[in-house]
């Protein structure tokens, strides 16, 4: 066993003291191990890789200690022997981008290696090629070496996705004035020859202090709430109460929920819409709160709204009487905008960019804009012109994704159509048309300013002077006055190109020049969405003339002049910018918010950071109290409730709700026991259902409470088996490092749980990098099966081959992947949620990101994937198995197609996020998909 503790625990510190035999032909090169597709720039990130140091992606050699693959997100481990040219004191130095470490042993033993030089520890440090003296840590102290001996060394290098990747080691005699020189092939040799070894042969790989020191983070507070201890993780170890002693606690009742789609025709892949989620109590902390910095989809808010207003709408600011909060008015106005008033994707980005007075926003305002109105039109804007390409390709706004809209009919909850009355206060975000201007009469008669943006201000917007980039030479009609620009005096409002009527725009919008390189240069109105506090720097005295040198037209000078007049009238010093006052004493009121109440039990495919649905505590406690009352009435009060470990609810609004109760009980005079049973809470007046429909018979009297509240009963044919065999079926090809890790994790699962009722079935598509059958024989597994197939890798065919090898139809088959980290409770979770003829289980796995690990999980829930699937063998055969004909040459979609047929067969699919259930990040280079495409091209050619 290479990793007895499994993936969650570090490998043992097994240092190599004995080196393999060395031969003279080893000279001239050293061993190079490559770990691909692993993020981070620190050597510590490399040590956190699951396969470091024994299972690299590539094993090769290099002829000098200077390597530059010109790649990204990788780590290197270079090791071998150094042969000094002469006796004496030698000084070493290492240079790299990003971090690196150089370890040197006192002799040829890897166990005696010491860190003598390094570049950085955090991943942000780097050097230029050949820059050996940038950091003091790069240069080692003098080391006394002898030419007659060889010394083991190890060079570790980590490169992220930026920079010019390189790593090199130089040495020099410890004498004044000598420069470092790269260690070449004449002074290095291999540690061992790996050319004839398969990738699963790792006994020859040296393990030194460099391979382990700092490899795992120190004991600190977990970064994710899901890593906190939870009694669910180990509750399966508690002895379970015998199901026979619980049969007569509740009256039996037929169980046939109305949401089951037995023989209901659905379209291809439409089964995703008929998967419903269960509610959980208590909180299992599967919500990825540590990932919500960039993904706030849990709160169901428009991304555009959050970008503009944040969460201030949930706060009520404490204001004095008569005080007006303009931001609150803006937020309320934004919330009641119609979906048609939002921007498209491109326009939305332009609007967000225009919120800051940056050069990029100015450049955007000078691009060829979208037309809005033509001369002589009324206050209703003209619809934008579309090209034939736009008519063929529908455009969807990101803001519209969050707007309320009717749900598909197959969800069964489509709301009535909304009646929207068009009002004069409809908001438009307009753009400038080249060569056209809005009618002055229309602008004057409009009830709203022509360019209010999204702010809905009935009063004029503040005028902000924007610095414009240099303009091409102006035509003679650009200004009404001549002479040099620097000698221009601030013109009056009547001196604009549009005449006296256009001067009114200064109270409604900002006049800045926009240049159309394909037409004559004219002043055109645009809107500034900047408030006085949003300008990047204050306007200092004397910048008006400089602005005219930069090409600011006379209209902006007019705005600046009017600002100075207002400041003088108010008694403020002219030319000083007004700053917004900060109210540090502002207080607010807020109510307790439970955003879980806004979630529904339909399968949300949009948000991949939200956890399991939360069941209200009062409802869970009420159901448990009813069950405990019946249990003690049956057994004379022998049991007392210690803890509510887990309650899962599947809701059926027509007939009632199914509950899975998991309680820790204390028997009088006995030990603690585990109760884990399904119960059904029938709604009052609901008819008893069966597999074929409804029955007119009334429910049993024992399940009706005196207060006419829902009563509990025992659902027939809905009991799970604790000792049922689970078969893990995994197709593999040329994945030696992952096969070894999978077998090590399964062995650790057997040792930790003591559970022998599971079987590993590996379907091997002629792997060349390891002997899969030999690895199975050497693993400490309770039982296994090795099946061999020929040809290209086909996941559907491999899974079907594994299922066909299972003889017992009353056992569970779990369609699995190779890159999965399993929690210790995985066997118990599969058995609880698989019931023959009733339930199948599709747990949601957390897909880890690049550089992430199970002890520091960063990633997202795979809400769209159903490839990890547990179902009874009899049910799998009844639905037809895998679609091996249609998905022979394609990979992807076979899990959704299987889901459609499972639902049409009348089975429920339980969908839960499991704690500590991860999909490892892995490289796709050299995998079966790439090789299959290459071979397909060869066959076609």
């Amino acid at each position: 066993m290479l990793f007895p503790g499994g993936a969650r625990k570090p490998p043992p510190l097994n240092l190599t003291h004995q080196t393999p035999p060395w031969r003279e032909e080893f000279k001239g090169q050293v061993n190079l191990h490559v770990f691909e597709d692993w993020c981070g720039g620190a050597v510590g990130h490399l040590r956190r890789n699951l396969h470091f140091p024994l299972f690299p992606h590539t094993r090769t050699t290099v002829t000098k200690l200077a390597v530059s693959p010109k790649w990204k997100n990788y780590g290197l481990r270079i090791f071998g022997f150094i042969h000094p040219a002469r006796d004496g004191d030698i000084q070493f130095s290492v240079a790299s981008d990003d971090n690196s470490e150089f370890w040197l042993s006192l002799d040829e033993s890897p166990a005696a290696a010491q860190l003598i030089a390094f570049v950085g520890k955090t991943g942000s440090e780097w050097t230029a090629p050949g820059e050996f003296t940038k950091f003091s840590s790069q240069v080692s102290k003098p080391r006394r070496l002898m030419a007659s001996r060889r010394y083991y060394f190890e060079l570790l290098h980590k490169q992220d996705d930026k920079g010019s990747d390189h790593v090199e080691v130089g040495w020099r005699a410890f004498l004044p004035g000598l420069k470092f020189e790269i260690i070449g092939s004449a002074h290095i040799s291999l540690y061992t020859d790996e050319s004839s070894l398969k990738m699963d042969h790792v006994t020859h790989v040296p393990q030194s202090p460099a391979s382990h020191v700092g490899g795992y983070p120190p004991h600190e507070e977990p970064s994710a709430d899901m890593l906190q201890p939870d009694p669910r993780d180990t509750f399966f170890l508690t002895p379970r109460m015998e199901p026979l002693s619980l049969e007569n606690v509740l009256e039996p009742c037929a169980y046939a929920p109305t949401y089951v789609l037995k023989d209901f025709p659905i379209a291809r892949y439409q089964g995703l819409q008929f998967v419903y989620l269960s509610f959980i109590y208590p909180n299992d902390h599967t919500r990825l709160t540590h990932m919500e910095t960039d993904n706030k989809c849990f709160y169901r808010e428009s991304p555009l709204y959050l970008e503009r207003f944040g969460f201030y709408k949930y706060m009520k600011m404490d204001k004095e009487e008569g005080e007006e909060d303009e931001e609150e008015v803006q937020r309320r106005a934004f919330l009641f905008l119609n979906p048609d008033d939002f921007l498209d994707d491109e326009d939305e980005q332009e609007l967000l960019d225009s919120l800051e007075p940056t050069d990029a926003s100015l450049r955007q305002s000078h691009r060829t804009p979208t037309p809005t109105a033509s001369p002589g039109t009324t206050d209703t804007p003209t619809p934008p012109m579309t090209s034939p390409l736009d008519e063929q390709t529908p455009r969807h706004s990101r803001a519209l994704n969050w707007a309320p809209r009717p749900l598909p009919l197959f969800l069964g909850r489509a709301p009535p159509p909304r009646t929207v009355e068009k009002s004069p206060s409809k908001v438009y975000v307009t753009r400038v048309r080249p060569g056209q201007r809005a009618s002055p009469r229309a602008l004057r008669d409009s009830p709203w300013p022509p360019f209010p943006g999204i702010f809905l201000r009935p009063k004029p917007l503040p005028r902000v002077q924007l610095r414009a980039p240099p303009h091409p030479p102006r035509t003679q009609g650009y200004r009404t006055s001549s002479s040099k620009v620097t000698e221009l005096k601030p013109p009056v409002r009547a001196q604009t190109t549009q005449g006296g009527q256009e001067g009114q725009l200064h109270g409604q919008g900002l006049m800045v020049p926009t240049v159309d390189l394909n037409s004559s240069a004219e002043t055109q109105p645009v809107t500034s969405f900047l408030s006085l506090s949003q300008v990047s720097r204050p306007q200092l005295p004397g910048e008006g003339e400089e602005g005219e040198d930069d090409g600011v037209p006379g209209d902006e000078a007019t705005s600046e002049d009017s600002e100075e007049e207002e400041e003088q009238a108010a008694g403020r010093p002219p030319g000083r910018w007004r700053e917004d006052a900060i109210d540090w004493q502002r207080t607010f009121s807020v109510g307790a918010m439970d955003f879980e109440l806004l979630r529904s039990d339909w399968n949300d495919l949009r948000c991949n950071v939200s956890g399991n649905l939360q069941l209200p505590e009062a409802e869970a406690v009420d159901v448990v109290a009813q069950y405990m009352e019946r249990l003690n009435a049956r057994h004379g009060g022998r049991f007392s409730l210690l803890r509510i470990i887990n309650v899962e609810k599947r809701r059926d609004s027509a007939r009632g709700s199914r509950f899975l109760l998991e309680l820790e009980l204390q028997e009088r005079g006995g030990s603690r026991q585990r109760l884990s049973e399904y119960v059904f809470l029938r709604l009052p007046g609901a008819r008893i259902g069966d597999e074929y429909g409804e029955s007119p018979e009334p429910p049993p009297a024992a399940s009706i409470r005196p207060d006419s509240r829902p009563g509990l009963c025992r659902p027939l044919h809905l009991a799970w088996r604790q000792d049922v065999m689970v078969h893990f079926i995994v197709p593999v090809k040329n994945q030696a490092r992952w096969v070894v890790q999978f077998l090590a994790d399964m062995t650790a699962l057997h040792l930790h749980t003591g559970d022998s009722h599971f079987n590993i079935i590996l379907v091997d598509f002629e792997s060349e990098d390891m002997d899969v059958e030999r690895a199975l024989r050497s693993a400490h597994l309770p039982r296994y099966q090795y099946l061999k197939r020929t040809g290209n890798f086909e996941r559907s065919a491999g899974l079907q081959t594994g299922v066909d090898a299972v003889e017992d139809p009353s056992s569970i088959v779990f369609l699995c992947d190779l890159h999965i980290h399993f929690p210790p409770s995985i066997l118990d979770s599969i058995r609880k949620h698989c019931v023959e003829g009733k339930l199948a289980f599709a747990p949601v796995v957390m897909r880890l990101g690049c550089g992430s690990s199970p002890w520091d999980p960063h990633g997202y829930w795979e809400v769209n994937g159903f490839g990890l699937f547990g179902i009874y063998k009899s049910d799998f055969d009844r639905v037809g198995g895998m679609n091996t004909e249609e998905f022979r040459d394609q990979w992807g979609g076979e899990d959704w197609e299987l889901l459609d047929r499972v639902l049409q067969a009348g089975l429920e699919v339980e969908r839960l996020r499991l704690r500590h259930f991860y999909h490892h990040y892995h490289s796709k280079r050299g995998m079966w998909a790439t090789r299959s495409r290459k071979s397909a091209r060869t066959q076609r050619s």
Side-chain angles (χ1 to χ4, degrees):
M1 287 173 37
L2 299 173
F3 303 101
R8 293 299 304 274
K9 296 182 180 180
L13 188 61
N14 184 21
L15 299 181
T16 303
H17 297 273
Q18 296 293 331
T19 59
W22 183 86
R23 298 193 296 267
E24 189 69 24
E25 55 266 25
F26 287 175
K27 278 192 173 182
Q29 53 187 348
V30 292
N31 299 95
L32 171 62
H33 288 184
V34 183
F35 300 84
E36 295 185 33
D37 284 358
W38 192 251
C39 297
V43 175
H45 297 149
L46 174 60
R47 293 192 179 100
R48 296 173 193 173
N49 189 298
L50 183 65
H51 303 296
F52 183 85
L54 298 179
F55 295 95
H57 293 71
T58 304
R59 293 174 180 172
T60 184
T61 59
V62 66
T63 57
K64 62 190 304 185
L65 298 190
V67 182
S68 178
K70 293 187 177 180
W71 197 238
K72 59 183 180 180
N73 288 333
Y74 67 87
L76 299 180
R77 186 191 187 204
I78 305 173
F79 57 93
F81 296 108
I82 286 181
H83 301 262
R86 62 183 64 87
D87 297 347
D89 293 335
I90 305 298
Q91 207 169 18
F92 295 88
S93 181
V94 61
S96 63
D97 184 352
D98 295 298
N99 290 181
S100 61
E101 294 180 0
F102 182 70
W103 294 68
L104 185 66
S105 177
L106 300 175
D107 49 27
E108 61 183 24
S109 173
Q114 300 176 356
L115 178 63
I116 64 172
F118 63 92
V119 175
K121 291 291 186 182
T122 65
S124 60
E125 303 87 354
W126 56 273
T127 73
E131 191 178 12
F132 289 110
T133 57
K134 180 178 181 179
F135 301 102
S136 60
S137 61
Q138 287 180 257
V139 182
S140 71
K141 295 180 180 179
R143 310 277 295 193
R144 172 71 64 171
L145 303 181
M146 301 178 63
S148 60
R149 302 178 61 180
R150 59 178 181 267
Y151 298 87
Y152 175 83
F153 80 92
E154 192 164 333
L155 175 61
L156 302 179
H157 171 231
K158 187 66 185 73
Q159 169 66 25
D160 60 9
D161 58 347
K162 298 179 290 294
S164 302
D165 61 322
H166 68 92
V167 60
E168 61 269 19
V169 177
W171 62 351
R172 69 182 179 185
F174 188 58
L175 295 174
L178 295 184
K179 295 184 178 180
F180 288 101
E181 297 180 358
I182 300 294
I183 303 178
S185 59
H187 306 287
I188 57 177
S189 66
L190 292 173
Y191 177 80
T192 187
D193 185 8
E194 302 176 296
S195 58
S196 62
L197 300 179
K198 291 185 177 294
M199 295 300 293
D200 62 330
H201 292 180
V202 296
T203 56
H204 67 282
V205 178
Q207 298 192 52
S208 68
S211 310
H212 301 279
V213 174
Y216 291 83
H219 298 286
E220 57 185 15
E221 191 70 17
S223 59
D225 285 345
M226 190 169 55
L227 299 181
Q228 300 287 351
D230 191 281
R232 292 181 178 89
D233 300 336
T234 56
F235 190 54
F236 65 93
L237 298 175
T238 304
R240 184 187 178 192
M241 293 182 63
E242 289 296 334
L244 294 177
S245 63
L246 302 174
E247 283 188 354
N248 298 325
V249 173
L250 301 175
E251 291 291 333
C253 58
Y255 176 72
T258 58
Y259 50 75
V260 171
L261 303 178
K262 185 174 180 57
D263 300 327
F264 185 82
I266 59 177
R268 171 63 68 89
Y269 300 153
Q270 196 178 3
L272 290 169
Q273 306 294 337
F274 293 97
V275 175
Y276 296 93
L277 305 179
S278 296
F279 295 83
I280 303 295
Y281 175 84
N283 192 346
D284 59 352
H285 300 289
T286 51
R287 175 181 168 188
L288 305 182
T289 53
H290 63 295
M291 301 300 300
E292 291 182 354
T293 302
D294 300 322
N295 190 345
K296 300 181 178 63
C297 60
F298 175 82
Y299 295 97
R300 308 282 179 177
E301 295 289 357
S302 164
L304 181 62
Y305 179 89
L306 290 178
E307 181 74 17
R308 179 65 179 87
F309 300 111
F311 290 95
Y312 287 112
K313 76 173 185 179
Y314 300 103
M315 305 162 59
K316 180 177 178 57
M317 297 298 172
D318 299 333
K319 302 183 295 294
E320 298 180 359
E321 185 176 358
E323 182 181 355
E324 182 182 4
D325 191 346
E326 294 186 4
E327 293 185 358
E328 181 67 23
V329 176
Q330 296 174 17
R331 288 193 293 272
R332 288 198 302 266
F334 188 95
L335 289 176
F336 292 99
L337 291 179
N338 293 326
D340 297 337
D341 302 332
F342 284 91
L343 304 177
D344 292 328
D345 291 342
E346 298 176 0
D347 298 337
E348 179 184 327
Q349 185 60 41
E350 293 181 6
L351 174 60
L352 293 177
D353 293 340
S354 65
L355 294 178
E356 296 291 340
T358 60
D359 294 339
S361 62
L362 292 176
R363 285 193 298 270
Q364 286 185 0
S365 65
H366 285 75
R367 292 187 301 180
T368 304
T370 305
T372 57
S374 58
T377 58
T378 61
D379 57 337
T380 303
T382 305
M385 300 175 61
T386 59
S387 63
L389 181 61
D390 296 334
E391 295 176 359
Q392 297 175 3
T393 305
R395 300 175 62 186
H396 302 282
S397 169
R398 286 193 298 270
L400 287 179
N401 293 336
W402 301 89
R405 60 182 68 184
L407 295 174
L409 293 179
F410 50 77
L411 289 179
R413 291 188 291 273
R418 222 174 22 142
T419 303
V420 180
E421 298 182 359
K422 301 294 181 179
S423 61
S425 61
K426 184 174 181 178
V427 179
Y428 294 90
V429 179
T430 58
R431 296 290 185 268
V432 182
R433 283 190 178 184
Q436 298 183 6
R437 301 189 185 93
S439 170
R441 178 183 180 86
L443 296 176
R444 182 175 65 252
D445 298 338
S446 175
W448 292 96
F451 309 113
I454 60 172
F455 293 91
L456 283 175
R457 295 193 180 183
K459 61 181 181 180
L461 289 171
R463 294 181 294 277
V464 179
Q465 177 175 350
L466 299 178
R467 183 181 60 187
H471 295 272
R474 304 181 179 87
T475 60
Q476 294 182 357
Y478 190 81
R479 288 182 181 269
T480 57
S481 59
S482 59
S483 183
K484 294 182 178 180
V485 179
T486 54
E487 297 177 358
L488 287 176
K489 296 181 179 180
V492 295
R493 301 193 178 201
Q495 287 181 295
T496 59
T497 57
Q498 191 64 24
Q501 292 178 344
E502 195 170 353
Q504 300 176 4
L505 293 179
H506 289 279
Q508 300 171 343
L510 177 65
M511 299 289 295
V512 298
T514 58
V515 178
D516 187 358
L517 299 180
N518 298 324
S519 62
S520 60
E522 301 180 9
T523 51
Q524 297 174 340
V526 298
T527 304
S528 171
F529 298 100
L530 302 177
S531 65
L532 297 180
S533 61
Q534 289 176 308
V535 178
S536 58
R537 62 185 182 88
Q539 179 73 22
L540 300 177
E543 288 192 359
E545 293 80 1
E546 182 181 354
E548 293 186 358
D549 285 331
D550 292 338
V552 179
D555 294 311
E556 292 191 5
T558 304
S559 301
E560 181 184 359
D561 182 65
S562 60
E563 288 284 353
E564 293 180 357
E565 293 176 358
E566 294 176 3
E567 290 176 353
Q568 292 177 1
R572 292 187 297 268
R576 293 293 179 183
W577 194 263
R578 289 173 292 175
E579 296 181 352
D580 286 346
I582 302 176
D583 187 2
W584 298 108
Q585 296 179 324
R586 182 190 299 273
T587 59
F588 68 95
S589 302
V590 66
M593 294 297 300
D594 188 0
F595 293 95
E596 285 287 346
L597 298 178
L598 305 178
R599 303 177 64 190
S600 65
D601 59 349
W602 62 282
N603 191 23
D604 186 3
L605 302 178
R606 298 177 302 175
C607 192
N608 55 15
V609 297
S610 59
N612 290 319
L613 298 174
Q614 298 301 305
L615 179 66
E617 182 179 25
E619 184 176 0
V621 171
D622 181 67
V623 173
V624 171
Q626 288 189 51
Y627 189 87
M628 290 301 300
E629 180 182 354
R630 302 283 186 86
L631 179 66
N632 284 320
R634 175 67 181 174
H635 293 280
R638 289 170 45 197
F639 299 98
S640 58
L641 177 65
L642 297 181
R643 284 188 301 177
I644 301 177
I645 302 298
N646 184 48
V647 177
E648 300 174 8
K649 171 191 174 183
R650 171 65 69 88
R651 181 173 57 190
D652 184 359
S653 57
R655 292 177 176 170
S657 300
R658 161 174 56 87
F659 289 87
L660 173 63
L661 302 182
E662 294 194 275
L663 311 176
E664 185 177 15
L665 305 180
Q666 177 72 50
E667 186 178 6
R668 184 191 308 154
S671 60
R672 296 184 306 162
Q673 296 188 22
R674 169 194 181 196
L675 184 145
S676 181
E677 296 295 323
Y678 282 104
V679 300
F680 187 69
L681 187 67
R682 190 189 357 256
L683 292 177
R687 295 181 176 182
I688 300 177
D690 54 23
E691 291 84 351
Y692 306 100
E694 294 183 350
S695 172
E697 298 179 4
S703 64
I704 302 178
R705 300 175 60 176
D707 54 2
S708 298
R709 295 175 60 188
L712 289 179
C713 63
R714 177 173 57 86
L716 292 175
H717 312 296
L718 195 66
W720 67 276
R721 295 167 49 193
Q722 186 177 9
D723 57 349
V724 63
M725 181 67 67
V726 179
H727 303 271
F728 291 86
I729 303 175
V730 185
V732 300
K733 180 171 183 175
N734 292 334
Q735 294 284 292
R737 58 189 177 277
W738 288 108
V739 170
V740 173
Q741 183 62 50
F742 176 80
L743 296 180
D745 287 345
M746 291 291 101
T747 301
L749 180 67
H750 172 52
L751 295 177
H752 183 70
T753 63
D755 195 333
S756 300
H757 293 83
F758 70 93
N759 181 32
I760 304 298
I761 302 177
L762 292 186
V763 184
D764 182 21
F765 285 81
E766 296 180 312
S767 296
E768 300 174 354
D769 59 349
M770 71 173 299
D771 189 340
V772 178
E773 187 176 10
R774 186 182 67 86
L776 275 170
R777 288 197 304 265
S778 60
H780 296 75
L781 296 172
R783 52 180 54 86
Y784 66 87
Q785 290 176 262
Y786 174 77
L787 305 176
K788 190 170 184 178
R789 284 186 59 98
T790 60
N792 291 335
F793 180 85
E794 299 177 14
R795 185 175 189 271
S796 296
L799 293 175
Q800 186 63 50
T801 301
V803 176
D804 293 339
V806 177
E807 298 179 356
D808 184 8
S810 296
S811 59
I812 300 175
V813 293
F814 188 76
L815 312 182
C816 192
D817 191 11
L818 189 61
H819 313 95
I820 302 299
H821 168 69
F822 298 96
S825 60
I826 183 63
L827 292 171
D828 189 71
S829 298
I830 294 174
R831 293 183 180 119
K832 285 187 304 186
H833 299 102
C834 288
V835 178
E836 191 170 8
K838 291 291 185 178
L839 287 180
F841 186 39
V844 186
V845 66
M846 181 180 177
R847 186 175 289 272
L848 298 176
C850 181
S852 183
S853 59
W855 50 86
D856 187 22
H858 291 266
Y860 58 91
W861 292 109
E862 188 63 81
V863 295
N864 293 292
F866 286 77
L868 304 174
F869 202 82
I871 186 173
Y872 268 82
K873 169 72 162 46
S874 59
D875 294 330
F876 185 85
D877 293 338
R878 181 161 58 92
V879 303
M882 300 298 300
N883 188 346
T884 57
E885 295 296 329
E886 186 174 352
F887 294 93
R888 180 182 301 274
D889 298 325
Q890 57 179 330
W891 186 15
E894 72 279 354
D895 54 341
W896 292 350
E897 194 273 340
L898 175 64
L899 176 66
D900 292 343
R901 290 185 281 114
V902 169
L903 292 175
Q904 286 181 302
L907 295 176
E908 295 182 67
V909 176
E910 190 67 29
R911 188 74 165 156
L912 288 173
R913 293 157 174 83
L914 293 187
R915 293 167 49 87
H916 311 303
F917 189 44
Y918 304 111
H919 183 283
H920 290 292
Y921 185 89
H922 60 88
S923 171
K924 297 178 176 59
R925 288 174 49 82
M927 290 182 64
W928 41 77
T930 304
R931 297 189 177 187
S932 297
R933 287 195 296 267
K934 288 183 178 180
S935 61
R937 295 194 196 101
T938 304
Q939 294 174 1
R940 286 195 297 267
S941 61

